[in-house]
């Protein structure tokens, strides 16, 4: 028997093809009449088309969402939603746009309807990561969970294969860390396994046949489940490493996840054999084990595998290793500075992860107490 605490989420989820046509009804059900549409600049066109579905219930469009939720953008957006007397926000886009919606909600209490168009999963989490200058902070606020999420597979068809690949591995990372996270929850565990299966089966087709609707649907389904996992249980070493690298060197979010995940899985493999075994059910191990198979998988998707290719300076490895071991956080295997450094060095160079096979004599799972939320 394993003890657990399960907390259900209250977000309404609508999933399918063409589901954007239901957005006006959903806005109505939320009792909203003055929605502001949010988007990034480059997705302003598709987002405006969705705003048009709302007719008079769309009172404005703020198209300046940016990666890592800069506070100055949020302040401008808050001033805008106040100026048009908005009573809700409609976030159409990936984690950047949905992050802006959550940042507005944190400051105004406005309810959100999210329409995700990547696989980042932010719409299913109460986590808000923000940047001010070069400082990145993260907090968990249950009140900022979107009230309704409409997944429309058709809106993901335009996601370029290269973005889909890294975004998909970002989702995979949420599911993998939920498999060995410190807060065991049987429902989340089932969702994480299902997410791993859906993402690993769908992503190769998404990147080679971008018009394959079934593959796009599988990836989006996996992303929803993975996002729910991220929102439900504490993440571990992988999310800590990506948080440090994103915050310290401004590395791109999803790409960093793709380069780091195989190395963290290799590091944790011996302490989390059940999690590795669950991944191996869909991704059979190669010569180097499941982590090496994941490294190959990431490469076959065309995603980056070397942090140096993302702009991380080699001299940054020591600084990042220091930051990774600065605070305690949940991880099945304790992390010391030299192992953090070794892991970073391999990920920096894009080397195959060190082969660590789960064995009957594996290290006993040990969780360091979790302090504070880790960023997504
Ligand atoms: P993103 O939202 O920045 O999107 C990446 C690019 O793809 C953007 O240029 C965007 O305009 C474009 N795009 C989005 N959907 C598209 C589509 N369907 N077709 C064509 N182009 C499209 O990137 P992301 O990886 O989705 O999100 C990253 C951000 O989200 C980071 O700031 C990260 O910290 C945050 N995040 C937060 C959480 C959380 O729970 N708080 C979870 C995951 C990610």
């Amino acid at each position: 028997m394993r003890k657990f605490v399960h907390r259900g989420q209250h977000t309404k989820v609508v999933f399918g093809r063409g589901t954007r046509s239901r957005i006006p009804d959903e806005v109505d059900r939320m009792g909203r009449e003055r929605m502001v549409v949010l988007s990034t600049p480059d997705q302003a066109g598709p987002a405006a088309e969705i705003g048009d579905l709302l007719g008079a219930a769309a009172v404005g469009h703020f198209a300046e969402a940016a990666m890592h939720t800069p506070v100055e953008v949020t302040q401008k957006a808050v001033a805008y939603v106040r100026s048009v007397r908005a009573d809700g926000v409609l976030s159409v886009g990936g984690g950047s746009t949905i992050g802006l919606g959550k940042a507005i909600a944190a400051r105004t209490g406005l309810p959100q309807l999210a329409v995700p168009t990547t696989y980042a999963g932010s719409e299913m989490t109460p986590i808000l990561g923000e940047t001010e200058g070069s400082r990145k902070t993260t907090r968990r606020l249950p009140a900022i969970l979107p009230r309704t999420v409409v997944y429309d597979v058709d809106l993901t068809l335009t996601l370029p294969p290269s973005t889909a690949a890294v975004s998909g591995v970002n989702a995979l990372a949420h599911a993998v860390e939920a498999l060995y996270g410190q807060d065991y929850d049987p429902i989340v565990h089932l969702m994480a396994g299902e997410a791993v299966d859906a993402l690993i089966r769908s992503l190769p087709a998404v990147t080679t046949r971008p018009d394959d609707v079934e593959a796009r649907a599988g990836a989006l389904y996996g992303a929803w489940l993975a996002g729910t996992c991220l929102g439900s249980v504490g993440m571990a070493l992988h999310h800590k490493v990506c948080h440090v690298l994103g915050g310290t060197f401004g590395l791109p979010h999803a790409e960093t996840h793709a380069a780091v995940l195989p190395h963290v899985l290799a590091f944790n493999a011996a302490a989390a054999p059940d999690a590795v075994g669950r991944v191996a059910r869909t991704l059979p191990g190669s010569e180097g084990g499941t982590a090496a198979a994941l490294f190959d998988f990431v490469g076959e998707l065309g995603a980056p595998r070397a942090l140096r290719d993302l702009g991380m300076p080699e001299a940054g490895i020591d600084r990042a290793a220091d930051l990774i071991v600065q605070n305690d956080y949940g991880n099945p295997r304790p992390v010391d500075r030299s192992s953090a450094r070794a892991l970073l060095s391999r990920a920096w160079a894009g080397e195959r992860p060190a082969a660590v096979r789960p064995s009957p004599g594996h290290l006993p799972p040990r969780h360091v107490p979790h302090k504070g939320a880790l960023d997504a």
Side-chain angles (χ1 to χ4, degrees), residues 40 42-43 68 94-96 117-118 120 122 125 127 155 158-159 253 376:
T40 53
D42 73 67
Q43 287 297 294
H68 302 310
S96 298
T117 61
T118 71
S122 177
T125 87
I127 304 166
L155 296 176
T158 50
L159 195 61
H253 179 81

